[in-house]
């Protein structure tokens, strides 16, 4: 959790609220279209399974990135989730173009085999939530470390939800940011 | 209360010698995760499957879209001759209306397959159901769906599909996929 002086923009670029916001809007819009397409084919189970599989895999990638690089990444985490989901459903796009499924299509995040996990979509939901929750826990630890490393004059006024790990600094947190 | 850091990040530009605060409050990811987990759980559990009375209890086995190498059947089951050409066996609880079935048949047999309609309760239907490995739907009654047997009498596909009339193109795709295989 050592601060990398001189690399703040790089360290924080995956966490910019505005960037996350437009990614979220795009993700929700495209997922709504995909859900509607699968629903029209009476195949919601396939949307659920492939999305959750993509979420689980994305969580592993984000966790590995945070562990190895020491900072959150890649730059567009929600677009990464979308990209993995689209990758996972490539066989379905091929099917709609007239190509039957085949075992080799497991290269697309286990497109065929993943359906046979005992428990189906609910089991995938549990796996995806455990992995994404693990990533969020790791990211929270990283953020708390960064907040703890931040000089008091840069922390801004105390707001509800401030880090209890630095509660001893509460009085000093009342500073107005100094340019 | 804001989720973002109140600090103007411009003052923390690259090259700043001092540690800058993150652009998010430390608790923001946890809150976002909690909200997303609830929404996603409701979406998947309440709306994430098609699980009607005629659907397969295990959705993995319904319309998986892949041709398999199932068991090889004898040359006659329930009075139906197999082999020589591929056969699509449609399982229904009642005889489908003629016009509707004709439209479905056109797609299902476009690749030269024969169509056999096996209506529940009719002679030979139970034998076909058992031999083709048709699964039992949620309501425990006879299956509604279809199976595909190739010209060497091997079961290549068997699925429940209560909306099969909407999926004639899938049957056409799968029977066309038999071409070129050692069938």
């Amino acid at each position: 959790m050592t601060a990398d002086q001189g690399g703040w923009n790089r360290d924080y670029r995956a966490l910019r609220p505005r960037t996350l916001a437009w990614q979220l809007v795009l993700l929700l819009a495209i997922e709504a279209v995909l859900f509607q397409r699968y629903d029209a084919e009476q195949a919601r189970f396939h949307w659920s399974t492939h999305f959750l599989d993509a979420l689980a895999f994305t969580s592993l990638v984000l966790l590995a990135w945070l562990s190895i690089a020491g900072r959150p990444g890649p730059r567009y985490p929600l677009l990464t989730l979308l990209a993995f989901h689209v990758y996972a459903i490539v066989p379905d796009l091929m099917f709609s173009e007239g190509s039957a499924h085949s075992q080799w299509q497991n290269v697309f995040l286990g497109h065929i085999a993943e359906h046979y996990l005992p428990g189906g979509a609910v089991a995938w939901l549990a796996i995806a939530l455990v992995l994404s929750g693990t990533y969020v826990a790791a990211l929270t630890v990283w953020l708390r470390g960064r907040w703890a490393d931040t000089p008091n004059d840069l922390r801004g006024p105390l707001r509800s939800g401030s880090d209890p790990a630095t509660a001893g600094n509460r009085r000093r947190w009342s500073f107005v940011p100094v340019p | 209360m804001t989720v973002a850091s109140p600090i103007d990040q411009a003052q923390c530009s690259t090259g700043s010698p001092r540690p800058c605060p993150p652009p998010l409050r430390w608790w923001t990811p946890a809150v976002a995760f909690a909200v997303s987990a609830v929404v996603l759980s409701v979406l998947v559990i309440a709306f994430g499957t098609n699980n009607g009375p005629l659907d397969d209890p295990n959705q993995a086995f319904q319309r998986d879209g892949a041709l398999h190498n199932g068991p090889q059947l004898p040359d006659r089951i329930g009075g139906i001759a197999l082999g020589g050409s591929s056969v699509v066996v449609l399982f229904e609880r009642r005889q489908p209306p003629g016009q509707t079935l004709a439209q479905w048949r056109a797609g299902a047999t476009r690749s030269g397959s024969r169509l056999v309609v096996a209506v529940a309760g009719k002679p030979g239907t139970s034998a076909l159901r058992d031999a083709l490995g048709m699964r039992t739907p949620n309501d425990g009654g006879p299956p509604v769906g279809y199976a595909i047997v190739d010209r060497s009498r091997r079961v290549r596909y068997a699925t429940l599909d209560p909306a099969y009339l909407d999926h004639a193109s899938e049957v056409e795709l799968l029977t066309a996929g038999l071409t070129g295989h050692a069938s």
Side-chain angles (χ1 to χ4, degrees):
Chain A
M1 303 298 176
T2 304
D4 177 12
Q5 294 187 0
W8 309 115
N9 283 332
R10 184 192 60 185
D11 283 9
Y12 297 153
R13 65 186 179 185
L15 302 177
R16 304 279 182 219
R18 188 173 299 177
T19 307
L20 288 171
W22 70 253
Q23 288 179 78
L24 182 62
V25 169
L26 189 62
L27 176 71
L28 292 178
I30 293 178
E31 289 299 339
V33 171
L34 289 175
F35 185 87
Q36 188 273 332
R37 291 287 301 273
Y38 276 89
D39 184 41
E41 294 290 330
Q42 291 96 32
R44 288 186 219 151
F45 169 74
H46 294 267
W47 176 88
S48 303
T49 306
H50 299 311
F51 178 79
L52 293 168
D53 180 33
L55 177 58
F57 193 77
T58 303
S59 300
L60 284 177
V61 169
L62 299 185
L63 194 56
W65 192 296
L66 183 61
S67 302
I68 295 169
R71 64 176 184 275
R75 185 170 189 170
Y76 302 109
L78 299 181
L79 291 191
T80 302
L81 169 59
L82 181 60
F84 279 130
H85 189 195
V86 171
Y87 177 71
I89 65 171
V90 164
D92 290 339
L93 303 176
M94 294 169 67
F95 192 88
S96 67
E97 293 300 316
S99 175
H101 285 345
S102 188
Q103 291 301 319
W104 71 265
Q105 293 175 336
N106 280 319
V107 299
F108 295 99
L109 300 189
H111 183 92
I112 305 295
E114 66 180 318
H115 289 306
Y116 297 95
L117 179 73
V122 174
W124 275 111
L125 175 66
I127 291 171
L129 291 182
V130 166
L131 289 175
S132 54
T134 302
Y135 169 68
V136 167
L139 179 62
T140 300
V141 169
W142 186 87
L143 281 170
R144 289 179 66 163
R146 283 305 173 98
W147 275 102
D149 288 344
T150 303
N152 290 323
D153 61 327
L154 284 177
R155 288 181 178 179
L158 179 65
R159 307 241 180 161
S160 139
S162 295
D163 188 351
T166 54
N169 295 331
R170 281 180 182 232
R171 214 152 39 102
R172 289 179 289 158
W173 276 43
S174 298
F175 287 124
V176 171
V178 177
Chain B
M1 188 167 75
T2 62
V3 297
S5 165
I7 303 299
D8 177 6
Q9 294 292 321
Q11 67 184 288
C12 297
S13 58
T14 301
S16 169
R18 306 173 69 205
C20 288
L24 295 177
R25 291 292 185 180
W26 67 269
W27 44 262
T28 307
V31 171
F33 170 75
V35 172
S36 303
V38 170
V39 171
L40 191 58
S41 298
V42 170
L43 190 63
V44 169
I45 293 170
F47 305 106
T49 59
N50 296 86
N51 215 9
L54 298 182
D55 286 308
D56 197 311
N58 186 340
Q59 297 262 296
F61 294 99
Q62 185 165 323
R63 295 170 62 212
D64 70 359
L67 291 168
H68 302 275
N69 282 315
Q72 191 164 28
L73 304 176
D75 53 10
R76 181 170 288 273
I77 298 175
I80 304 296
L82 300 172
S85 66
S86 54
V87 179
V88 177
V89 183
L90 173 64
F91 290 86
E92 251 292 11
R93 293 186 176 181
R94 287 176 295 184
Q95 181 70 31
Q99 180 65 27
T100 309
L101 181 62
Q103 291 173 353
W104 194 79
R105 178 196 298 267
T109 60
R110 188 158 292 150
S111 299
S113 301
R114 286 188 293 132
L115 176 66
V116 172
V117 180
V119 178
K122 300 287 185 183
T125 296
S126 293
L128 277 170
R129 169 187 176 163
D130 294 341
L132 292 170
M134 292 298 291
R135 292 169 57 85
T136 302
N138 280 318
D139 70 358
V144 175
Y146 60 90
I148 298 173
V149 181
D150 68 19
R151 65 187 184 200
S152 62
R153 306 191 311 274
R154 190 172 294 282
V155 181
R156 304 299 301 276
Y157 198 72
T159 184
L160 299 181
D161 186 1
Y164 68 88
L165 289 171
D166 297 331
H167 304 140
S169 62
E170 285 185 17
V171 188
E172 185 180 346
L173 186 158
L174 291 164
T175 52
L178 296 173
T179 308
H181 288 76
S183 56

